[in-house]
Amino acid sequence: MVIAPYRADMSETAVDKIFRALMERIVTGDLPAGEKLRQDHIARDYEVSHVPVREAFLRLEAKGLAKSVPHKGMRVTELEPTEIREVIEMRVALEVLALTHALPRHDDQTLAEVDAARVACDAARDMITWDRCNRQFHFALLVPCAMPRLLSSIEDLHITAARHLFAYWRDRWVSRPDSDHAALLEAVRAQDLTLACDILRRHLRRVS
């Protein structure tokens, strides 16, 4: 699945809608680790049968966000504090690879999309909005690489990283312009691959 962070889509199916809603609630901590996902309640809330709910649960399992526990049903997975270092290093490796292929393919339209996400990210006044816009910025920066498997892996890492950010940084988050985003955009506009990759590495590691 290679899609940008959540944007309303008229073609979205019931499964898509349920999956994305539950995913966001898990990422932000609204559904905490260990919480039981009650199929009956979710089906009633969305006015659907159990079938799309079960499919949404399977997607959550594939993303590592939920797990079927024998005799206990589907539950939100635990967050492993030690995994964030691995996630950061994987993001560095994979996002630099994607940027290497994406940078020469950027044009006025794609750069405008990156800039719009940057502006929205800087303007965010709450962490949930900021997280959506931040993931959109990174996705817009990398999507011209046209490597769907790579982008899908990166999206999974974004989701895991976001869970950690909400778990450990939510109380300390403050709204502020991101100078790394601006510098990244300028380096891509200048087609300076070395500089862009250096900024991206520093940017991804600065939260460690």
Side-chain angles (χ1 to χ4, degrees):
M1 182 179 68
V2 181
I3 43 182
Y6 183 74
R7 291 180 294 182
D9 186 344
M10 294 301 292
S11 65
E12 201 173 45
T13 66
V15 177
D16 296 331
K17 184 177 181 180
I18 295 166
F19 164 70
R20 288 193 174 281
L22 294 176
M23 179 183 73
E24 183 164 298
R25 292 184 66 193
I26 293 170
V27 165
T28 61
D30 183 48
L31 286 172
E35 182 83 1
K36 184 174 182 178
L37 301 176
R38 301 181 183 279
Q39 190 176 114
D40 289 346
H41 294 180
I42 294 169
R44 184 171 63 249
D45 289 344
Y46 286 90
E47 299 181 338
V48 296
S49 70
H50 288 182
V51 175
V53 178
R54 284 196 294 267
E55 290 185 27
F57 283 178
L58 290 175
R59 291 192 191 180
L60 291 173
E61 278 195 286
K63 295 293 184 186
L65 297 173
K67 183 178 181 179
S68 180
V69 180
H71 312 299
K72 294 185 178 180
M74 188 69 67
R75 293 186 179 266
V76 177
T77 54
E78 297 293 331
L79 202 58
E80 297 293 336
T82 57
E83 75 180 347
I84 189 60
R85 169 61 62 181
E86 180 183 10
V87 169
I88 289 171
E89 291 306 315
M90 288 179 69
R91 282 191 66 183
V92 169
L94 297 186
E95 292 192 36
V96 166
L97 174 61
L99 182 59
T100 299
H101 290 272
L103 187 143
R105 298 185 178 199
H106 272 289
D107 55 28
D108 290 343
Q109 180 178 343
T110 60
L111 289 171
E113 292 173 358
V114 175
D115 195 33
R118 179 191 66 82
V119 170
C121 195
D122 286 351
R125 292 295 176 262
D126 62 82
M127 194 173 179
I128 292 175
T129 303
W130 170 83
D131 175 61
R132 287 179 184 170
C133 296
N134 182 60
R135 282 189 274 156
Q136 182 62 46
F137 172 84
H138 283 271
F139 193 88
L141 189 70
L142 304 177
V143 74
C145 78
M147 302 171 76
R149 291 183 182 181
L150 177 59
L151 290 170
S152 182
S153 295
I154 290 170
E155 185 190 28
D156 288 349
L157 293 171
H158 284 182
I159 292 168
T160 303
R163 279 193 81 188
H164 282 274
L165 283 173
F166 276 96
Y168 303 115
W169 291 91
R170 189 166 192 165
D171 292 340
R172 290 176 279 177
W173 182 86
V174 293
S175 174
R176 62 175 178 265
D178 194 318
S179 59
D180 282 353
H181 284 183
L184 256 173
L185 178 57
E186 289 310 307
V188 173
R189 277 182 174 145
Q191 290 290 291
D192 190 333
L193 179 60
T194 299
L195 178 59
C197 290
D198 285 347
I199 296 169
L200 182 58
R201 290 188 190 97
R202 181 189 71 212
H203 176 67
L204 294 176
R205 287 181 173 137
R206 75 181 186 184
V207 298
S208 59

